[in-house]
Amino acid sequence: MVSAERVAALAHAALIDELETWPKPGLVSPIDSGSHDDMDADLLRCSAAAIRPFFADLFAAGAGGAAMADLRAIGLRAEAAMLRATGGVNAHRGAIFSLGLICAAVGAAGGLHASAAACAVAVGARWGAEIARAPASPSSHGGRVVQRYGVGGASAEAASGFPTIRAIGLPALHLGRSRAPDDPEAARVDCFFALLAVLDDTNLLHRGGADGLNAAQAAAAAFVAAGGVAAPGWRTRAIEIHRGFVAARLSPGGCADLLAATLFLDSLVATA
């Protein structure tokens, strides 16, 4: 059986791999801060380290048959630790939610699932109804966007067992690895653009409205249609898209969270 600490280490590693992926339009990386004035790579590393212990707590809670209310309480403690580490900057709230639920699902199963997709489905099967019943928070950017635009957001994704990860993220990650077997970063870029092309990212809607979301998805879809990282000059095109996002102040934070969750789920199966 995989240990709580091992699962927490894999969740933390997924966050660092997401951070270190570049070009990743509009988002923070070791190269630059993207469309963000309030955070950089070092701050995100501090945040990831601060929340790592809570992933172990969530695994243990899942193993103990915890209800959603118990998981939320741990998640709130993780958020408080994050905010202390970052001086009040929301660096990983979405990741705490998504990766935390996956940690709890692994714990509840008594170990690893047969596949990454099965682990994703387990989140919705165990807690989906409770997640879906919770109202969108009117005090958060994501909650207000969900109410205004009628999109599902992170909660709907988790409640349904992460369908975008199962249908898009994991296949794109595996395809990226086949295209660039000696370049793990390129595979992550391929996965990120595939997610960006289809996800109704609430952070994009918050920053750019429907026009911003549509423009971001169109740019990503064109990158994917051109062959992704298999196309000559792909990195130059990805950098150009990144610069366009920065100029428009667009930041697909929801896609970043799903990339991290995709990497986490994939690593859990690789560990089995």
Side-chain angles (χ1 to χ4, degrees):
M1 176 179 172
V2 68
S3 69
E5 178 51 36
R6 178 58 176 159
V7 170
L10 290 173
H12 176 263
L15 293 177
I16 298 304
D17 281 346
E18 180 275 314
L19 168 64
E20 294 183 350
T21 301
W22 189 83
K24 197 174 55 205
L27 293 165
V28 176
S29 74
I31 305 301
D32 60 39
S33 293
S35 298
H36 295 271
D37 299 322
D38 59 348
M39 63 179 84
D40 58 18
D42 286 342
L43 184 138
L44 286 178
R45 290 191 183 98
C46 288
S47 173
I51 64 179
R52 173 174 171 163
F54 298 94
F55 292 131
D57 292 345
L58 285 158
F59 174 96
M68 190 64 203
D70 301 314
L71 302 183
R72 284 196 184 100
I74 298 171
L76 288 172
R77 293 198 293 273
E79 285 187 17
M82 172 194 72
L83 293 172
R84 288 193 298 271
T86 63
V89 177
N90 170 22
H92 284 120
R93 183 172 287 133
I96 291 169
F97 177 73
S98 296
L99 274 67
L101 283 168
I102 295 168
C103 289
V106 175
L112 300 178
H113 291 75
S115 69
C119 186
V121 168
V123 171
R126 289 183 179 276
W127 301 292
E130 291 179 84
I131 295 170
R133 282 197 298 268
S137 170
S139 63
S140 70
H141 296 321
R144 289 194 291 270
V145 165
V146 166
Q147 293 174 341
R148 178 177 178 182
Y149 292 99
V151 296
S155 294
E157 185 73 22
S160 299
F162 298 102
T164 305
I165 290 178
R166 289 185 279 119
I168 304 296
L170 288 164
L173 180 63
H174 299 156
L175 177 61
R177 286 173 178 161
S178 71
R179 287 170 164 172
D182 299 321
D183 190 347
E185 182 181 45
R188 300 195 301 269
V189 169
D190 231 22
C191 180
F192 179 81
F193 272 93
L195 291 167
L196 179 57
V198 301
L199 185 70
D200 290 334
D201 191 305
T202 56
N203 203 45
L204 285 174
L205 283 167
H206 166 66
R207 283 181 170 240
D211 289 344
L213 173 66
N214 292 337
Q217 289 179 328
F223 180 86
V224 171
V229 301
W234 70 265
R235 192 175 294 274
T236 297
R237 280 193 296 277
I239 292 171
E240 290 172 354
I241 296 170
H242 172 62
R243 289 172 177 163
F245 275 46
V246 173
R249 308 306 292 167
L250 295 174
S251 174
C255 293
D257 292 338
L258 281 196
L259 174 60
T262 301
L263 297 171
F264 181 37
L265 285 163
D266 181 74
S267 70
L268 285 167
V269 175
T271 298

